[in-house]
């Protein structure tokens, strides 16, 4: 077991952090409005939008763990957490399914633009009656000559109002229930696609979200992801990336909050003493640090598991090794109520062959843990950042409640993290089932 | 695999679905051709539990690309899938 980063990894984090700080200097007004095309292109230049995409498509060619560190650095360096979220959702819920399941011609056409920032992608899964349980989608895809006709409305699509391309899911075989869904790539300018205006939201204001409707929208066979009926697996694969890597942005946010709070309590004095000298204050910071580092360990472990499941020369999904984790749950939005959970009796015995060494980790055993680690990580990081943001508000007092310092913004940005990519209760459900309950 | 072995596998799968997924309820109505997906016997969670059973008790890992409706429409098809995946490669 090795907990250190190598020279290249440390340098990448430092370079990304410095680059994003230079590209996105503190600007509270910017943080309160949806991102611009210029913002997006800057992220593309920094290598954020396609970090996990192979270099031949213009991406960074990084694995899940190194990609997560890039996202963490951007989360720490850029105060517009909504923008960072938009970028991460674009990559993990859109670029990854296209990379892992789209036809080569579609990959060639879209991935370079997705990596550079020339294109914005949105993941369209959530429906009015399909939140935690998206096994029966009201959006349908009816086979026709040369493709499918999509009809219906997706109710919450992050990046939806501004996206150039959507990854979406529709029912193609209602009798097959959750195994009758199919994933599609749909161009924004395809006839029949209507993107609604941005919603008024609580947090992540840098990321516009809205409805996307399909009204007799023709999608060619070539833009089916994987195969008809494989939508559940396609979506689940993207969720594996999202849960493992996207939440690294909240590690960056926690680091930023911890630094700001540490600085604040050292400077501010009350009752002729520094705030840091009050044990109630210093212990609160100790808890914030504990939460951050616990989340880091879990998230890095989840990414490590994902890296072991991903095959290919440059980070493409191997396809056969990841377990079906049993749910069709959630896209990259902020207020869904998804259901999910792998159900697996985790009753295997630990290393009883007497080898006892450090190099005895069994490949199959590790693969079986991927879903568990992703759920543990997602739960710890999303709840951790929420609690830490609330702690930061308490430590800053009235200043924490005002918009000027951006502390309350972190609290608003943290709330949706407990909802999207499977709610906290869904993660607990997954963990419980992983325990064989 | 012989017909007898296939029948044993099918019986094993029926037993798991009846006893573990349906908790013994409606067991008498469960047949090899009961439409598992259409009737809601298998939802997403129960599908995952079935896969765990196939992996842990039968020793077959179902790859994601096989996770389509045709392979899970009833226990006859699930049995065929498991048998197909048990075949040695090459």
């Amino acid at each position: 077991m090795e907990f250190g980063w190598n020279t290249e990894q440390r340098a990448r984090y430092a370079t990304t952090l410095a680059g994003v700080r230079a590209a996105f200097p503190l600007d509270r007004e910017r943080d309160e409005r949806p991102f611009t095309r210029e913002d997006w292109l800057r992220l593309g230049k920094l290598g954020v939008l396609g970090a996990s995409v192979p270099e031949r498509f213009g991406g960074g060619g990084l694995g899940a763990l190194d990609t997560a560190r890039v996202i963490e650095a951007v989360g720490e360096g850029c105060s517009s957490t909504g923008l960072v979220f938009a970028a991460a959702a674009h990559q993990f819920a859109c670029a990854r399914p296209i990379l892992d399941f789209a036809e080569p011609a579609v990959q060639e056409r879209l991935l370079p633009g997705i990596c550079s920032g020339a294109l914005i992608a949105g993941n369209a899964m959530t429906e009015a009656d399909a939140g935690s349980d998206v096994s029966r989608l009201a959006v349908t895809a009816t086979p026709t000559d040369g493709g499918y006709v999509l009809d219906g409305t997706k109710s919450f699509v992050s990046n939806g109002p501004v996206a150039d391309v959507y990854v979406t899911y529709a029912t193609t075989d209602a009798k097959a229930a959750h195994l009758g869904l199919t994933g599609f790539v749909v161009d924004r300018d395809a006839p029949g696609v209507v993107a609604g205006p941005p919603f008024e939201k609580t947090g992540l204001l840098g990321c516009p979200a809205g409805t996307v409707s399909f009204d007799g929208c023709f999608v060619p066979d070539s833009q089916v992801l994987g195969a008809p009926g494989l939508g559940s697996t396609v979506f689940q694969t993207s969720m594996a990336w999202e849960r493992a890597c996207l939440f690294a942005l909240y590690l960056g946010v926690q680091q930023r909050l911890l630094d700001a709070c540490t600085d604040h309590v050292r400077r501010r004095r009350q009752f002729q003493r520094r705030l840091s000298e009050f044990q109630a204050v210093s212990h609160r910071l100790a808890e914030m640090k504990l939460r951050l580092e616990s989340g880091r360990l879990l998230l890095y472990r989840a990414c490590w598991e994902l890296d072991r499941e991903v095959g290919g020369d440059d980070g493409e999904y191997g396809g056969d090794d990841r377990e079906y984790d049993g749910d069709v749950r959630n896209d990259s939005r902020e207020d869904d109520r998804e259901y999910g959970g792998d159900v697996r009796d985790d009753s295997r015995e630990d290393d009883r062959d007497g080898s006892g060494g450090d190099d005895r980790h069994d490949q199959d055993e590790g693969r079986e843990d991927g879903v568990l680690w992703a759920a543990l990580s997602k739960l710890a990081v999303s709840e951790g950042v929420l609690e830490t943001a609330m702690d930061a508000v308490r430590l800053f007092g009235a200043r924490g409640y005002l918009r000027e310092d951006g502390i309350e913004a972190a609290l608003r940005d943290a709330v949706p993290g407990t909802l999207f990519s499977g709610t906290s209760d869904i993660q607990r459900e997954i963990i419980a089932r992983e325990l064989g309950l | 695999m012989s017909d007898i072995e296939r029948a044993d596998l099918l019986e094993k799968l029926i037993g798991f679905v009846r006893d573990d997924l349906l908790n013994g309820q409606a067991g008498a109505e469960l047949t090899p051709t009961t439409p598992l997906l259409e009737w809601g016997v298998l939802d997403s969670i129960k599908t995952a539990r079935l896969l765990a059973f196939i992996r842990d008790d039968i020793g077959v890992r179902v790859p994601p690309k096989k996770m389509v409706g045709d392979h899970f429409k009833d226990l006859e098809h699930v049995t065929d899938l498991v048998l197909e995946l048990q075949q040695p490669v090459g």
Side-chain angles (χ1 to χ4, degrees), chain A residues 248-364:
Chain A
L249 76 88
Y250 282 120
L251 295 177
V253 171
Q254 286 184 73
Q255 184 65 63
R256 180 153 40 89
L257 288 171
L258 183 60
D259 291 344
C261 289
T262 302
D263 184 61
H264 175 69
V265 302
R266 280 178 176 155
R267 289 171 185 271
R268 184 168 167 79
R269 303 179 74 91
Q270 293 286 281
F271 305 102
Q272 293 83 50
R273 293 160 66 190
R274 295 178 198 277
L275 291 190
S276 58
E277 294 174 41
F278 291 93
Q279 198 172 53
V281 169
S282 61
H283 282 193
R284 191 181 295 281
L285 281 151
E287 291 295 330
M288 292 167 76
K289 177 68 171 172
L290 176 65
R291 240 175 262 136
L292 169 59
E293 298 303 340
S294 302
R296 275 194 170 121
L297 287 173
L298 286 168
L299 187 137
Y300 297 158
R301 174 64 189 263
C303 290
W304 180 78
E305 294 284 354
L306 184 56
D307 275 330
R308 299 172 73 226
E309 293 165 353
V310 174
D313 294 330
D314 46 11
E316 289 179 68
Y317 182 60
D320 283 354
D321 289 341
R322 183 162 183 85
E323 293 273 303
Y324 178 82
D325 74 353
D327 63 53
V328 187
R329 53 178 184 267
N330 217 345
D331 61 356
S332 311
R333 63 201 178 284
E334 297 167 41
D335 76 342
D336 60 65
R337 303 156 301 282
E338 284 190 325
Y339 186 70
D342 188 344
V343 183
R344 187 169 62 227
D345 183 359
D346 192 11
S347 59
R348 64 185 175 279
E349 297 181 349
D350 291 326
D351 184 40
R352 296 189 181 178
D353 62 6
S355 60
D358 291 335
D359 58 349
R360 57 185 158 75
H361 196 100
D362 176 75
Q363 285 286 335
D364 282 344

Side-chain angles (χ1 to χ4, degrees), chain A residues 178 319 322-323 326 339 343-344, chain B residues 44-45 47 49 55 61 64:
Chain A
H178 60 290
R322 183 162 183 85
E323 293 273 303
Y339 186 70
V343 183
R344 187 169 62 227
Chain B
S44 57
I45 295 295
T47 301
R49 290 175 61 188
R55 182 196 63 215
R61 190 180 295 273

Side-chain angles (χ1 to χ4, degrees), chain A residues 47-322:
Chain A
V48 174
L49 298 176
S52 69
V53 175
E55 292 178 2
R56 69 177 186 278
F57 293 121
L62 301 177
L65 182 57
D66 286 324
T67 296
R69 284 287 282 173
V70 169
I71 300 299
E72 181 181 343
V74 180
E76 181 180 346
C78 178
S79 60
S80 177
T81 303
L83 168 63
V84 185
F85 168 79
H90 160 95
Q91 177 172 188
F92 303 124
C94 299
R96 289 302 315 188
I98 291 170
L99 174 66
D100 295 332
F101 294 99
E103 289 193 359
V106 174
Q107 295 175 336
E108 297 285 351
R109 179 168 70 86
L110 296 176
L111 287 175
I114 284 175
C115 293
S116 72
L119 295 176
I120 300 169
N123 179 26
M125 169 58 101
T126 307
E127 298 179 358
D129 293 318
S132 289
D133 178 5
V134 288
S135 60
R136 293 180 189 274
L137 297 177
V139 172
T140 58
T142 308
T144 188
D145 189 24
Y148 291 80
V149 174
L150 270 60
D151 285 289
T153 297
K154 296 296 184 180
S155 63
F156 199 110
V157 181
S158 293
N159 293 346
V162 296
D164 303 295
V165 61
Y166 300 102
V167 167
T168 193
Y169 301 84
T171 296
T172 47
D173 180 1
K175 288 183 178 176
H178 60 290
L179 298 183
L181 309 180
T182 299
F184 298 91
V185 176
V186 183
D187 295 278
R188 165 70 172 268
D189 59 6
V193 176
V194 179
F199 292 140
E200 293 290 330
K201 300 189 277 112
T202 298
L204 299 179
L205 301 181
C207 176
T211 62
V212 173
S213 296
F214 304 105
D215 182 12
C217 174
F218 174 76
V219 182
D221 285 326
S222 61
Q223 292 184 200
V224 167
L225 289 170
L230 207 62
S232 176
T233 294
V234 174
F235 181 65
Q236 187 185 120
T237 302
S238 74
M239 283 301 99
W241 277 88
E242 193 165 290
R243 284 194 186 140
C245 294
L246 181 147
F247 282 82
L249 76 88
Y250 282 120
L251 295 177
V253 171
Q254 286 184 73
Q255 184 65 63
R256 180 153 40 89
L257 288 171
L258 183 60
D259 291 344
C261 289
T262 302
D263 184 61
H264 175 69
V265 302
R266 280 178 176 155
R267 289 171 185 271
R268 184 168 167 79
R269 303 179 74 91
Q270 293 286 281
F271 305 102
Q272 293 83 50
R273 293 160 66 190
R274 295 178 198 277
L275 291 190
S276 58
E277 294 174 41
F278 291 93
Q279 198 172 53
V281 169
S282 61
H283 282 193
R284 191 181 295 281
L285 281 151
E287 291 295 330
M288 292 167 76
K289 177 68 171 172
L290 176 65
R291 240 175 262 136
L292 169 59
E293 298 303 340
S294 302
R296 275 194 170 121
L297 287 173
L298 286 168
L299 187 137
Y300 297 158
R301 174 64 189 263
C303 290
W304 180 78
E305 294 284 354
L306 184 56
D307 275 330
R308 299 172 73 226
E309 293 165 353
V310 174
D313 294 330
D314 46 11
E316 289 179 68
Y317 182 60
D320 283 354
D321 289 341
R322 183 162 183 85

